[in-house]
Every structure is written in structure tokens, then in C-alpha cells.
Amino acid sequence: MRKALEGSQAIAQTVALCRPQVVAAYPITPQTHIVENIAKLVANGKMDCELVSVESEFSAASLVLGAASAGSRTYTASASQGILLMSEVLYNIAGLRIPMVMTCANRAISAPLSIWNDQQDSMAVRDAGWIQLYCANNQEAVDTTIQAYRIAEATELPVMVCMDGFTLTHTLEPIDIPAQEMVDEYLPPFNFSRALDPASPTSIGTLVSPDHYPEARHSHHHALLNAADEIIAADADWQQLSGRSAGGLLSMSGPDDARIGILTLGSIVGTLSAASDTYTDLPATRLINLRAYRPFPVEALRQACSGLTDLIVLERALSPGFGGIVSPEVHTALSGMQAIPRIHSFAVGLGGRDIPLEIYRTLHE
């Protein structure tokens, strides 16, 4: 059903459709509205789950780790300093191969204090071992949240759904919220094969010697790489049911003969798309929306960049002392191409700085 909803409201309603059994979170701007709306759904009898109020983000992550390990479908959400506070547990969740879903309402990292959007928080935990999917708009965030449960439970890997704080979480859009029957058809009940059982005691997360630790890390790495197939399949199956696709690993727009490309993640895609329709006098440009950042879609990106002479990478995060975070990975991924486009890297929109349509013309100068 199509409704005018704030992004946070839409995510709360979507999470309810996925039937999590345990939800735990600690409020932090701009994530707070998501869990507030979940609390309302639970209080009004429209969502059947155990909603636990905890004293910190570290506790929220620890609680859903335990609940998922015991076989419950779980959900949590956070942003900014909250992501940093729970980072130790995020590594544990991924290393233990515990399937779950969380929303990162992307927000700048202190100091100086900023409550506005950039993607420094999720980038700070890019190596934690979670699948990371970035959403260009609120409809994508809704569809990706549903797909995330399917992906997590098929791969036994946690999935972080990243949506730009305020730009998406607090923006009112017409959004198609699917029927419960459609989500139930797409997402079967959670059945975790390694769930802890008191009748058959076992330990998880135990000490591993140097003789075996590298194998564990490489196994995790290859599981993430293999998850690319499930991300593509989950999106394709959802498109069959809903008629909508988020593009799988990435999506493109623009003419096939374009020689200039712009790659970005998140809501900047909407700005660039509107700008390309406005500045029609500029050279043909291919827009590349990098939806999956982990696993990094090397082959798909090479295909998307075929024929380009120049690729502009716009990212909302910065590695102090070096520069861009995404652009070096893009450069490495494209190094195997016969004709590698020149890569130009720009960090924009840090701390919520506005990204006007005029940036599109500036990038072409």
C-alpha cells in the first residue's frame, strides 16, 4: 500500500512485517524515530516481539547477539557514536556468523559534534565483517530491509542497511509498504541451524590458536564474497513479487556511450539524477549507484565502468591523513581492466553540508 511516510516510520513498519522476535536499541539521533515507531507498534498490538530498552548501544548489540544465537530473528539500529560504542560487539556478531539485520542511520562522527549526515560511522566498521548495503531513497530502504533478512539468513552473515540520516530518515515520501502476505511469501520463518540449545550444550566464540585463526578469517572473507550471489538473487526474487529492484550489487543510469562516470553511495544518487536531468548541455554521464559496499562488487563495477575515460567518486566520508575511503578500493577493483578510467575522488557533504545540484556542473569543469 502506498503511503506518505517519514523514512523512519516506513522502516519501523517494514521491520514489523519481517516478524522479528527480539528488538533492542538505544536512542540516538537520527535513529531514534525508528525504534520509537517500533515501540508504538508493539504498544498498540500491531507488532509481536520482545522490545528491550537497554542502557547503551553496546548492550543493544550484545542483547541481539544473544537472542539471535538462541534462534530468534532480531533487529537493532544505531548511528554515529552509537555505532562506535557497539563496534566491539559488531565484530563478534560477524565473526560468529550470526544472521541479523540492523539499520545504520548514517551520521557524522564527533568531534566536533555533528548530528547531521555523512557516512563516516558505517565506514568506520567496514571491516567488521558485516554485509553493508546503502540506500538511495526510502523506497530502497524499505525493500532492502526486507531483502536483508533473506540475505542474512541464507548466508549466516549479519547485514547493515545504511540510510542517510535526516536526508532519508526524516524525509516524508510516498512509499509502497508491501502487504504482510507478500513479505511472508518472500521471507520464510527464521531457522538458525546453529542455534544454541540447552539440551545440547556447546560453546561459541572460544579461544582459537594461531594454527586455526587464519582459516577462520579466510572462511569469513570468502563467505562475504560468496554473499554477492545471494544479494543479486534476493533482489531478483523481490522484483518478481513487488515489481521493484534496487539493482542488486549496483545500479546504473545514463547512456551507454558515456565517457564520464560518477560513482556514489546513498542519497546523493537522487541529487545527481535530478542534476543530470537539469544540466542537459553537459557531456553524457553515467551514474553508478554503489549499493553493496561489502562485499565489494569488483566484477560488476568493472562492467559498469566499461568504456569510461574518467570516473568521479563522490563519497561522504574521509580518512584523515590519506583522503577518500571508497575511491582507493574503486581504483584497486578497476586495476584489472584493460582500459582503466582516470579516477577523481571528492569527499562531499561531510557533517551534513548541503550538496546542491550545481555540484554536477562543477564536476564537469
Side-chain angles (χ1 to χ4, degrees), residues 26-31 56-61 76-90 102-105 107-110 121-122 125 160:
Y26 189 79
I28 182 172
T29 302
Q31 168 270 117
S56 74
E57 289 87 357
F58 185 96
S59 298
T76 190
S78 193
S80 187
Q81 312 302 126
I83 295 289
L84 299 188
L85 184 55
M86 63 167 59
S87 62
E88 177 184 344
V89 189
L90 296 183
M102 77 170 293
T103 301
C104 175
R107 171 188 143 183
I109 296 290
S110 303
D121 46 6
S122 55
V125 293
M160 183 181 295

Side-chain angles (χ1 to χ4, degrees), residues 281-295:
D281 59 313
L282 295 176
T285 303
R286 189 179 304 165
L287 301 181
I288 303 172
N289 172 21
L290 189 66
R291 184 191 185 218
Y293 181 55
R294 287 293 184 269

Side-chain angles (χ1 to χ4, degrees), residues 86 96 118 132 167 203 241 280 316 329 351:
M86 63 167 59
L96 293 171
D118 62 34
Q132 285 194 0
T167 309
S203 296
L241 278 176
T280 55
R316 302 191 83 156
E329 299 191 8

